[in-house]
Structure formats: structure tokens, C-alpha cells
């Protein structure tokens, strides 16, 4: 039985498709939106559409950006011979917040997970290997310390080893299964400084 107007039901249904939003929260959000000033709803909607259409992947590191090159890749102040490999743009943000890393990044957009059927071809590995054709001295693998993160780290190090480029892994001070984003800066820095060559 449809006891809401079909428009509201549709809105609830769309919202509940978002990650972390269950049916209850979707309902709350939907009714909140209905009561918001019309201009505010329009602004929210247009911001979402604009973000979706204008945000793209950096040509170099594959992070999300508005330009062809993200500000980090475009910077001449950064050390472009050191590449830190992270799983997602939020991890990049976590390291940037420490303000102590001066190299560049490579964002994989995921990790290898045989259980979920995510293979090496499903993450941005090919792009990383292409970058290594150029002048690179060290690749720091900073994937999460979850099973997927470790699997990915191992896979990447095996790929890179034959090229002779130094490969290191951040120290395991990062809690197992911990999303890098939620780890404090001191822990992140310790993990980076204590990295070991693979
Ligand atoms: Zn970039």
C-alpha cells in the first residue's frame, strides 16, 4: 500500500540507494527536503549535478579533481619521483592533512579482493605502471592493512620489483582493517617514517 504521495516514495527510494542510508534515514531526509525552502533544494540538486559532471580523474594520479591535473600533480614544489599508492582520495586527504609528505600520489580507487571478485584489472594499476616508465625513485604502498590492502600491496610490489624501482610499505602501526581516513596524523606519520623496503 502506498500511503505516501508517489513523489515522496520515489524520493525515499532514491535516497535509500545511497551508501549508509537505510530506509529510516531516507524517510527522514525526504521529509526534511520537502520542508526545506525551494531555493535551498534547488541549490543542493544543482551542486550535486555540477559536481558529478565536472569532477574527473587526474590524468596523472587518478584522484578526483576539477582540472586535467590535480593541484598536487601540477605542483613544481612536490617531489615527483616519490609516489605514494593509496586506495582512495580520502586516504590521500588523510596524508595531505599531516602536511609532512612532499611526494605525489597514485589513487587506485579500490583494492584487490578475490572474495568480492575485484581483480587487478578493476583498480587503477595499469595507470600506475605507466607512470613508472618515467623517472621514479620510490613507490610507497600505503594501502589499508586489511586483507584486501595487504593483498594489493603484495601484488603491486611483485609487479614493480623487476623494474628496479624501490618499493616500500608503510609500517603496520596502522590498525588492521582501519580506514586510513580515520587514523590520527601522528600514527600516519609514524607509519610513513617507519616504512620498510619490500
Ligand atoms: Zn594528480
Amino acid at each position: 500500500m502506498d500511503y505516501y504521495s508517489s513523489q515522496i516514495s520515489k524520493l525515499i527510494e532514491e535516497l535509500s540507494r545511497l551508501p549508509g542510508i537505510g530506509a529510516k534515514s531516507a524517510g527522514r531526509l525526504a521529509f526534511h527536503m520537502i520542508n526545506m525552502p525551494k531555493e535551498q533544494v534547488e541549490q543542493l540538486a544543482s551542486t550535486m549535478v555540477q559536481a558529478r559532471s565536472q569532477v574527473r580523474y587526474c590524468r596523472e594520479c587518478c584522484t578526483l579533481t576539477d582540472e586535467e591535473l590535480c593541484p598536487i600533480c601540477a605542483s613544481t614544489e612536490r617531489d615527483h619521483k616519490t609516489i605514494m599508492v593509496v586506495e582512495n582520495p580520502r586516504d590521500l586527504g588523510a596524508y595531505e592533512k599531516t602536511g609532512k609528505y612532499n611526494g605525489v600520489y597514485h589513487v587506485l580507487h579500490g583494492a584487490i579482493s578475490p572474495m568480492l571478485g575485484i581483480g587487478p584489472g578493476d583498480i587503477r594499476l595499469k595507470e600506475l605502471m605507466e607512470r613508472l616508465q618515467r623517472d621514479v625513485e620510490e613507490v610507497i604502498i600505503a594501502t589499508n592493512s586489511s586483507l584486501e590492502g595487504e593483498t594489493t600491496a603484495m601484488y603491486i610490489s611483485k609487479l614493480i620489483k623487476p623494474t628496479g624501482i624501490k618499493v616500500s610499505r608503510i609500517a603496520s602501526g596502522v590498525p588492521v582493517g582501519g580506514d586510513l581516513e580515520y587514523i590520527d596524523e601522528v600514527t600516519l606519520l609514524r607509519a610513513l617514517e617507519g616504512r620498510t623496503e619490500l
Side-chain angles (χ1 to χ4, degrees), residues 153-164:
M154 218 135 70
Y155 188 90
I156 295 177
S157 80
K158 275 195 195 135
L159 271 186
I160 299 179
K161 272 274 145 145
T163 66

Side-chain angles (χ1 to χ4, degrees), residues 57-63 65 68-74 92 104-105 131:
Y57 297 106
C58 170
R59 192 186 53 181
E60 277 283 296
C61 73
C62 303
T63 196
T65 175
E68 207 182 324
L69 272 183
C70 76
I72 297 169
C73 289
L92 180 157
V104 291
Y105 297 89
R131 289 177 77 184

Side-chain angles (χ1 to χ4, degrees), residues 175-195:
V176 173
D179 256 34
L180 286 182
E181 189 193 356
Y182 298 113
I183 293 159
D184 68 88
E185 291 167 22
V186 178
T187 311
L188 272 187
L189 278 181
R190 219 175 278 152
L192 178 59
E193 277 156 14
R195 66 185 184 270

Side-chain angles (χ1 to χ4, degrees), residues 10-23:
K10 200 172 160 210
L11 181 57
I12 293 174
E13 197 193 311
E14 294 282 346
L15 288 169
S16 61
R17 280 194 208 139
L18 299 172
I21 301 198

